[in-house]
Each structure stands twice: as structure tokens, then as C-alpha cells.
Amino acid sequence: MVNFNYLNSTRIIFGKDTHKQIGEILKEYNKVLIVYGGGSIKKIGLYDDVINSITAEGIEYTEIAGVKSNPSIALVREGTKTCKTDKVDCILAVGGGSVIDTAKAIALGSCYEGDVWDFFAEWIEPENVLPVYCILTVPAAGSESSAGTVISNEETKEKILYGSEKIMPKVSIVNPELFYSVPEKQLAAGACDMMSHAMERYFTSEKHVELTDGFCEAGLKTIMRNILRIMAKKDDYDAWCDMTLAGNMVHNGVCGVGRISDWSCHMIEHEISALYDVIHGEGLAVLTPAWMKYVYKNNLNIFAQFAVNVMHSNIEIKDIEELALDGINKLENFFAKLGLPKTLGDIGIHDRCQYEEIAKRATHYNDMPDYRLGSLQKLSWNDVVEILKLAEK
Amino acid sequence: MVNFNYLNSTRIIFGKDTHKQIGEILKEYNKVLIVYGGGSIKKIGLYDDVINSITAEGIEYTEIAGVKSNPSIALVREGTKTCKTDKVDCILAVGGGSVIDTAKAIALGSCYEGDVWDFFAEWIEPENVLPVYCILTVPAAGSESSAGTVISNEETKEKILYGSEKIMPKVSIVNPELFYSVPEKQLAAGACDMMSHAMERYFTSEKHVELTDGFCEAGLKTIMRNILRIMAKKDDYDAWCDMTLAGNMVHNGVCGVGRISDWSCHMIEHEISALYDVIHGEGLAVLTPAWMKYVYKNNLNIFAQFAVNVMHSNIEIKDIEELALDGINKLENFFAKLGLPKTLGDIGIHDRCQYEEIAKRATHYNDMPDYRLGSLQKLSWNDVVEILKLAEK
């Protein structure tokens, strides 16, 4: 097991009606910036509940709305300006991963003199940040208890992850009753993103860590079983609880301790969605099996274990390579069952010329000391191009 | 799934040589109280490493040594006095559960005007506490990242659990290389305590929580497999890592979220060790199978699942009750394999007259509002006596 340093400082308040506690939770603050997306939080009555709860505590508020998927630095800059001019002292994200990531980025920029994009471009550590609170409305990205934020820059066509413990939300409220109206397309993509958070940790290049092998497997099985229950019945509270809890735990850090994770699929996908504005989970559905087929020989054991313990491959298959491939095949079938795209063509990428650009960007940091794309297999420019070719069919 | 509110604010620093970071970690403080047990930390060189590391940072220190199992309020009071008179500003526990629990209790008492036993007798919430740091030397109690402390009062023959998020350690250092000299007897008892932390959460009275069912099962299997590896080879670093990580995770809260835990065995055992100074893990080894035999019919499903998923019972057994009992039987056999005591007689309790006193104490709080011993089955005085009778053979 590799040495590790682990802390997750986010308080999770989970369950029915919990979002109504938000005023009580924020009562030490004077002015909150509420960050959200479109009108869906108004449609389901959540917006009114939030406003009523915080105004009942005498807390003032201002708003930034219109966060979209692949959230933009332009809106972050706007939020940062609002916080500075309006003397905001905390930020409340009401939404899914894009909204929470926007709130975290605003938290960084609001206590910083320079341009907030500096954090993403140069990975500088903030001296101070505004505290971030969340009410989750789409479980998928795990951003409600992670230290990360991923922001896109339309001008430079970049999509960059930034991480600091300081931007972990103080409190995240998770009420699965708020998820019933998540659109079908987003459901499947969200489940794939959650699964990817478990898989990118699971396929370690290190010796197995027995405990977190088991945690990742429990997470994957829980997500897979419950996304099907939810697709069959959108208001299945217990199924939402199980999937949401799994989605949270596979990305709050506990499933990764002692392992050497491999975030290749996420990193390549970020470059794809920076260039094509693809839905993150859909990009992952296309890339993950292709990546697996390219790298599985580096750790046949863990791929065979995945096949047996997660994908229920027949343990009578005696050839370990056959077993590993059976697991990958079953994963592709599962993604198909969810209605997820299978090929790059399915997500609108038809031009092979673009592979080189994607590969160039994904391997950009390979020149930096202590960094290389991939750990199960370190990936070169050429490797990424080959993986993209495997993702054509 | 039941609503929950979860936070674990302890940073875990895990792995080889990590204890040498302690000076760096504590450098913001002026004077630390070091709490430890007997001479074992001196024998393995740990004491010197700690002193060297903290004095290199110019931190002053004072000490409280001599913590024993079932740690006493008398030593806590002594530590509290030292902190007040010596202007100590943080506490460092170097030891196992008893040492950490003592440090937490001292942290409570040092910022309190009255007698520190008040916290245990009256469960008052502290205004302030001194910050607690740990270097773990015996993985078992999970106290290195829990909010609880269990202290014994020799005068009143009480052993009481107190809990507050404020006494969660700030940082716990876990270096499995420090565990190689844990005595065999303590190894088995420690493994049983860890397993109990998973089982008391697992046997929920609520509907299953799929994710944390899986987490508890992964924890139990990891502990069971690796305690055997450790008994065969005391310096098996990877086995220690796996077991220690599991022992930590089954008691840091993640395995219990959304469930209604049932702490009957722990609560009854506390009364037994208050009266008989029994080793906690040995008391649990005697009580747990007896408790299971008494209550399993309240949730046959979870006991059958335990049998199949943890104890590898034959899934061809079609009768669910038979399956549940097979799992309990296999657990008893496993405890026997570890050399743990099986009966109350084995831990020195021969007098049936004492059962009534144990039962009276264990059910003492049943008179209070919102409390009842047990949740899978609420236990009366008579139930506890019957469980103790089952623990005779």
C-alpha cells in the first residue's frame, strides 16, 4: 500500500427535507451569493424554499444564474466581481457538478487580486477563499464533497481541473427527493461519471488494496443496480439514496486511499469536451472501454477481478485474459443498456485529424516534472491517438 | 435509508516513516502533553523519534504515562491538572485506543472548570477543548478517527462512553511498521473489536443500505483475512496496512451512514469490563455470538446475507434461518481459531448472580427519553440476562 494523507472536511447532511435547514446552517453569515443553473430549481420549488429559509434568518443574498454544463470562466469572473463589490461572505451552490464547480472557482477568485484563471493555468495555492456550501440537485460529479473544480475557458478552448482542500464545501445538503426531475439523458451520463470515479481509482497500478478494492466494487455495483431502478421509476427514493450515496463515496476520497489512481479517461475526456462541448459522462462512456482495451495487459489481475466481482463474468472462464476482456465487454453492454453513446461518432467527432490535437493537449503536461498522463500505463501522444481510434467502433 | 449528518474531520497520515512528521505537524503549538502507556514505545524507539521530532521544532513538552486498558478517570484528572498548570496547548496521544481515549478526555477536562467526569456522567457539550493529535501504536479501537472516548471510574465501577465532534483528533498518524510488536493476545482481541465495529453497524434494523452493506462486508473480510496473515508473520507490512485501514474505516463513520446501528454488544461489554476489568475485544468475542443467537430472527435477511457474503456459507442452504445460524456458527469458529475466549467462564465470570447487576447497568438508560438498549431488538433487563446465559457455553 502506498503512503497517503487523507482528509475530507465536508459535512454531508443527507435525506428528506434536509434542504430546509440551509438558513439555520448559514446564519453566521451576512450576505450569501446563490449560484445556480437554469429554471429547474424554480420549477420544483427549491428556489423558494432556499430563499424562505435564508431570509427567515435575516441573511441577505445576491445571485449568479445561468451556469451551463462545462461551466465557463466568464461566469466565474462575473461571480467573483459580484462577491467583491457586494461584500459577499459565503457562497451557496444550488445545483449539480457544474454549479458547484462554478461556486468553488468563485470562492477562489473572490479573495484574490489577480484573474481567477491563474489558479487553473498555474495551480497556485490560495491564501484565503470564501466558504462554499451546497444543495445538490444532480448527483454525478461528486463535487459536493471533493476538493476539485473543473472550469472551461472558451477563449483558449481549455478545460482545466484545479484542486485545493480549501475549496471543499463546508456543508453539502443531499436530499434525493430533489432528483426526481433530472432528465433521462443526464441520468445515464451521471451514472457513467460516478462509475468512472470508482473505476479510475480501482484500476490501480499498485498492488491491490483489499479494503478499497471492496469499496470500489460495492460502489460500482450499487450505482449499476440502482440507475436501472431509477430509470424504471423516477421517484424511487430508496434507489436514489443508494446511488447518490455511492456516487458521493466513490469521489470523496475513501475509495482511493493507498492506491495509485489512473485518471487517463477523465483527462482525455476533458480535452474532448473542451473542443466539442460534449457531455462529460457521455465522453467517458466512449473513452473508458477503449482505454481499457488498450491498457488492460498492464494489470490483468485487476481487470479479471473487475470482471468477476463487478460484471458477474462466469468464473468458469479459466483464461485470465479472456476473463478481463469479458468484463470490458460486459461494461460496454451495460453502457449500451443505459442508452449511452458507444463511439466518437456518436458524440459528434468524425474527423480523425482532431485526434492529434486532443492527444497533444492531453499529453501537454507530460513535459512537466513529476507528471505523466496515466499510471497503469503512462500514455504518450501516440498512445492517446491509438485509444481514440479504438473508440471509433 | 434514514437521514444522516456525517462529518469526519480527522486527517489520516498513513504509511512508513510518517510518525517522523509529528514535529512539523505540531509546530504551531508551544507546549504539548504527550500521553502514553508503558515502556513499549520506548523499546521500539518511537518515544525517541517523537521527542527528537518535536524538540527539533522548538516545541516544549510534558508527559502523562501509565495509561492501562480500561483507562481510568484518575489519570485523566491528573493530565487535566498538568495541562492547566503547565499551560499545555495541545495533546499528543502515542498509543492505542486507551491512550487516545485518555488524551481525548484530558482535552475535555483541560478547558473546563468543573470535574472532567461530568462529561461522562451528564453528557454535557464542551465549549472548548484542547486539540488532540495521535500516533497510533495498536490498531483496534478506531479511536484515532472517532468522536468517542470510553473512560472507567474505579470508585463508582462505571465505564462510560462520551462523544463529541470536538474531540475528534485533528491528525492521526498511522504507520503499520509500529505495530509489529503488539502482543498476540492483543492482536486477536483487537481484530475482534474492529470486527465488532463493522458488525454493530451492519446488523441494522432498517432496510438495507446497499452501499454500506458492501463497505461493512469489505471491512469484515479484510480484517478476517489479514489478522490470519499477521498471526502467521508479525512483520507482514501489507497485511498490517490492509487490516489497519479496514479497522479505521469501519469506525470512522462511513460504514454506518444511512443505517440504524445496534451497539448492544458494546454497551453490555462496557458493563462487564467495568465490573471485571476484562479486555474489551475478549468480552465482545464472548457476547457477540450470544447476542446474535438471541436477536437474529428480527432481521433474518441481514444475517443470511452476512453468512453468504462474509462467512462464505454454502448458498445451497435453502432455509434462511439455517443459513443465518450457519453464519453465526462460522463466526464462533473463526473467533476460536484466533484463540479468543468463547464463554463468560473463559473471561473469569462464573457467578450467575452478577448477570443481574450487569443487566441492570446495561439497561440503566432505558428509563431515559429517546434511549433504549438495542435497535435490531430493544433489550430489557430480562433480555440481557438471557443473552448472558447464552454466553455461558
Side-chain angles (χ1 to χ4, degrees):
Chain A
M1 195 181 295
V2 293
N3 283 15
F4 66 83
N5 182 322
Y6 173 72
L7 171 71
N8 194 302
S9 57
T10 301
R11 179 187 297 281
I12 298 291
I13 300 179
F14 191 105
K16 291 185 183 180
D17 285 330
T18 47
H19 63 282
K20 292 177 185 162
Q21 299 173 27
I22 191 65
E24 172 72 19
I25 291 165
L26 298 180
K27 69 181 178 190
E28 68 183 284
Y29 300 103
N30 296 309
K31 186 154 192 181
V32 53
L33 175 73
I34 304 174
V35 183
Y36 60 99
S40 63
I41 68 164
K42 291 185 176 167
K43 253 186 248 162
I44 63 171
L46 174 58
Y47 179 85
D48 287 342
D49 282 346
V50 169
I51 300 299
N52 290 339
S53 182
I54 64 174
T55 51
E57 297 289 342
I59 306 161
E60 288 183 59
Y61 67 94
T62 181
E63 300 182 357
I64 283 282
V67 178
K68 296 200 167 58
S69 64
N70 298 319
S72 105
I73 193 68
L75 199 66
V76 170
R77 287 187 183 121
E78 197 184 319
T80 300
K81 202 170 149 194
T82 303
C83 285
K84 286 177 177 172
T85 53
D86 284 13
K87 295 192 177 156
V88 163
D89 56 358
C90 85
I91 302 176
L92 172 64
V94 185
S98 298
V99 169
I100 302 169
D101 283 6
T102 299
K104 288 172 173 173
I106 295 172
L108 286 166
S110 299
C111 302
Y112 178 67
E113 292 285 311
D115 176 26
V116 62
W117 185 250
D118 294 350
F119 290 97
F120 297 85
E122 297 163 32
W123 264 67
I124 49 179
E125 183 62 16
E127 278 189 37
N128 292 303
V129 302
L130 286 183
V132 175
Y133 293 77
C134 301
I135 298 174
L136 190 66
T137 65
V138 188
S143 186
E144 72 277 9
S145 55
S146 84
T149 168
V150 183
I151 297 293
S152 295
N153 187 327
E154 296 87 342
E155 286 168 32
T156 59
K157 287 271 182 197
E158 288 174 292
K159 177 175 176 178
I160 300 184
L161 163 75
Y162 174 79
S164 163
E165 280 183 3
K166 288 186 181 148
I167 55 170
M168 271 191 187
K170 300 288 173 211
V171 176
S172 285
I173 292 177
V174 180
N175 174 1
E177 289 181 306
L178 302 175
F179 307 154
Y180 298 164
S181 56
V182 173
E184 186 109 6
K185 196 179 166 74
Q186 227 170 317
L187 276 184
C192 182
D193 191 15
M194 292 184 207
M195 288 177 66
S196 178
H197 293 150
M199 291 188 288
E200 306 260 57
R201 290 178 168 92
Y202 186 70
F203 293 106
T204 177
S205 55
E206 248 288 304
K207 281 181 282 197
H208 294 215
V209 176
E210 192 170 341
L211 184 82
T212 47
D213 278 8
F215 277 20
C216 289
E217 289 164 4
L220 284 165
K221 285 189 286 189
T222 303
I223 296 161
M224 290 170 71
R225 199 171 81 87
N226 287 288
I227 184 65
L228 296 176
R229 290 171 68 194
I230 292 163
M231 283 182 159
K233 185 170 179 295
K234 289 281 174 52
D235 61 350
D236 185 334
Y237 181 75
D238 284 331
W240 271 115
C241 282
D242 271 323
M243 187 174 80
T244 303
L245 183 59
N248 177 270
M249 290 275 184
V250 296
H251 204 45
N252 73 357
V254 300
C255 290
V257 295
R259 315 177 75 84
I260 298 179
S261 303
D262 185 322
W263 291 90
S264 296
C265 294
H266 263 73
M267 299 313 284
I268 301 171
E269 200 295 317
H270 286 171
E271 302 307 335
I272 289 180
S273 42
L275 291 166
Y276 290 91
D277 203 21
V278 161
I279 294 170
H280 178 52
E282 296 196 347
L284 289 169
V286 172
L287 281 172
T288 303
W291 171 81
M292 288 177 159
K293 288 174 199 165
Y294 195 76
V295 305
Y296 73 97
K297 288 183 185 168
N298 291 280
N299 190 347
L300 272 176
N301 262 313
I302 193 83
F303 278 90
Q305 183 178 314
F306 172 75
V308 173
N309 289 358
V310 182
M311 303 311 302
H312 304 295
S313 290
N314 187 341
I315 53 169
E316 299 298 314
I317 300 174
K318 295 298 178 205
D319 182 76
I320 191 168
E321 189 168 347
E322 195 185 325
L323 200 50
L325 288 170
D326 188 66
I328 299 169
N329 183 43
K330 284 194 161 62
L331 178 69
E332 283 185 299
N333 293 343
F334 181 77
F335 284 163
K337 195 170 173 181
L338 297 189
L340 286 162
K342 187 177 181 329
T343 69
L344 287 175
D346 292 342
I347 53 173
I349 304 172
H350 302 282
D351 182 2
R352 272 205 174 181
C353 302
Q354 283 293 323
Y355 296 0
E356 299 188 1
E357 179 63 18
I358 295 166
K360 188 178 133 198
R361 287 162 172 252
T363 55
H364 176 69
Y365 297 104
N366 280 0
D367 297 333
M368 289 175 68
D370 307 325
Y371 182 85
R372 192 81 194 267
L373 180 68
S375 61
L376 185 66
Q377 180 174 330
K378 295 196 185 302
L379 301 178
S380 66
W381 179 91
N382 187 59
D383 292 325
V384 177
V385 170
E386 291 303 317
I387 289 168
L388 293 170
K389 284 183 188 164
L390 283 172
E392 283 176 349
K393 51 184 180 268
Chain B
M1 195 181 294
V2 294
N3 283 16
F4 66 84
N5 181 322
Y6 173 71
L7 171 72
N8 194 303
S9 57
T10 301
R11 180 187 297 281
I12 298 291
I13 300 179
F14 191 105
K16 291 184 182 179
D17 286 329
T18 47
H19 62 283
K20 292 176 184 163
Q21 299 173 27
I22 191 65
E24 172 72 18
I25 291 165
L26 298 180
K27 70 181 177 189
E28 68 184 284
Y29 300 105
N30 296 310
K31 188 155 191 179
V32 53
L33 174 73
I34 305 175
V35 182
Y36 59 100
S40 63
I41 69 163
K42 290 185 177 167
K43 254 185 248 162
I44 63 170
L46 174 58
Y47 178 85
D48 287 341
D49 282 347
V50 170
I51 300 297
N52 290 339
S53 181
I54 64 174
T55 52
E57 296 289 342
I59 306 161
E60 288 183 59
Y61 67 94
T62 182
E63 301 183 356
I64 283 283
V67 178
K68 294 198 169 59
S69 63
N70 298 319
S72 104
I73 192 68
L75 198 67
V76 170
R77 287 188 182 120
E78 198 185 319
T80 299
K81 204 171 147 193
T82 302
C83 285
K84 286 177 177 172
T85 55
D86 284 13
K87 294 191 178 156
V88 163
D89 56 359
C90 85
I91 303 176
L92 172 63
V94 185
S98 298
V99 169
I100 303 170
D101 283 6
T102 300
K104 288 172 173 173
I106 295 172
L108 286 165
S110 299
C111 303
Y112 178 67
E113 291 284 310
D115 176 26
V116 62
W117 185 250
D118 294 350
F119 290 98
F120 297 85
E122 297 164 30
W123 264 67
I124 50 179
E125 184 61 18
E127 277 189 37
N128 292 304
V129 302
L130 286 182
V132 175
Y133 293 78
C134 302
I135 298 175
L136 190 66
T137 64
V138 189
S143 186
E144 73 276 8
S145 54
S146 84
T149 168
V150 183
I151 297 293
S152 295
N153 187 328
E154 296 87 341
E155 288 167 31
T156 59
K157 287 271 183 197
E158 288 173 292
K159 178 175 175 178
I160 300 184
L161 162 75
Y162 174 78
S164 163
E165 279 181 6
K166 288 185 180 149
I167 56 171
M168 271 192 187
K170 300 287 173 211
V171 177
S172 285
I173 293 177
V174 181
N175 173 1
E177 290 182 306
L178 303 175
F179 307 154
Y180 298 164
S181 56
V182 173
E184 185 110 6
K185 196 178 167 73
Q186 228 170 315
L187 276 183
C192 182
D193 191 15
M194 292 183 208
M195 288 176 66
S196 178
H197 294 150
M199 291 188 289
E200 307 260 60
R201 290 179 167 91
Y202 186 70
F203 293 106
T204 178
S205 56
E206 248 290 304
K207 280 180 281 196
H208 293 217
V209 176
E210 191 170 342
L211 184 82
T212 47
D213 278 9
F215 277 20
C216 289
E217 289 164 4
L220 284 165
K221 286 189 284 188
T222 303
I223 295 161
M224 291 172 71
R225 199 171 81 88
N226 288 288
I227 184 64
L228 296 176
R229 290 172 68 193
I230 291 163
M231 283 182 160
K233 185 170 179 294
K234 290 280 174 52
D235 60 351
D236 186 333
Y237 180 75
D238 284 330
W240 271 114
C241 282
D242 271 323
M243 186 173 81
T244 303
L245 183 60
N248 177 270
M249 290 276 184
V250 296
H251 205 43
N252 72 358
V254 298
C255 289
V257 294
R259 315 177 75 84
I260 298 179
S261 302
D262 185 322
W263 292 91
S264 297
C265 294
H266 263 74
M267 299 312 283
I268 301 171
E269 200 295 317
H270 286 172
E271 303 307 335
I272 288 180
S273 43
L275 292 166
Y276 290 90
D277 202 21
V278 161
I279 294 170
H280 178 52
E282 296 195 347
L284 289 169
V286 172
L287 282 172
T288 303
W291 170 80
M292 288 177 160
K293 288 173 199 164
Y294 196 77
V295 306
Y296 74 96
K297 288 183 186 168
N298 290 282
N299 190 346
L300 271 176
N301 262 313
I302 192 84
F303 278 90
Q305 183 178 314
F306 172 74
V308 173
N309 289 358
V310 181
M311 302 312 300
H312 304 295
S313 291
N314 188 340
I315 53 167
E316 297 299 312
I317 300 174
K318 295 298 179 207
D319 181 76
I320 191 167
E321 189 167 349
E322 196 185 326
L323 200 50
L325 289 170
D326 189 67
I328 299 169
N329 184 42
K330 285 196 161 64
L331 178 69
E332 282 185 300
N333 292 344
F334 181 78
F335 285 162
K337 194 170 173 181
L338 297 188
L340 285 163
K342 187 176 182 331
T343 69
L344 287 174
D346 294 342
I347 53 172
I349 304 171
H350 303 282
D351 183 1
R352 271 205 175 182
C353 302
Q354 282 293 326
Y355 296 1
E356 298 188 2
E357 179 64 18
I358 295 166
K360 187 177 133 199
R361 287 162 171 252
T363 55
H364 175 69
Y365 296 103
N366 280 359
D367 298 333
M368 289 175 66
D370 306 324
Y371 182 84
R372 193 81 195 267
L373 181 68
S375 62
L376 185 65
Q377 181 176 330
K378 297 199 183 301
L379 302 177
S380 66
W381 179 91
N382 187 59
D383 292 325
V384 177
V385 171
E386 292 303 317
I387 288 169
L388 292 170
K389 285 183 186 164
L390 284 172
E392 284 175 349
K393 51 183 182 271

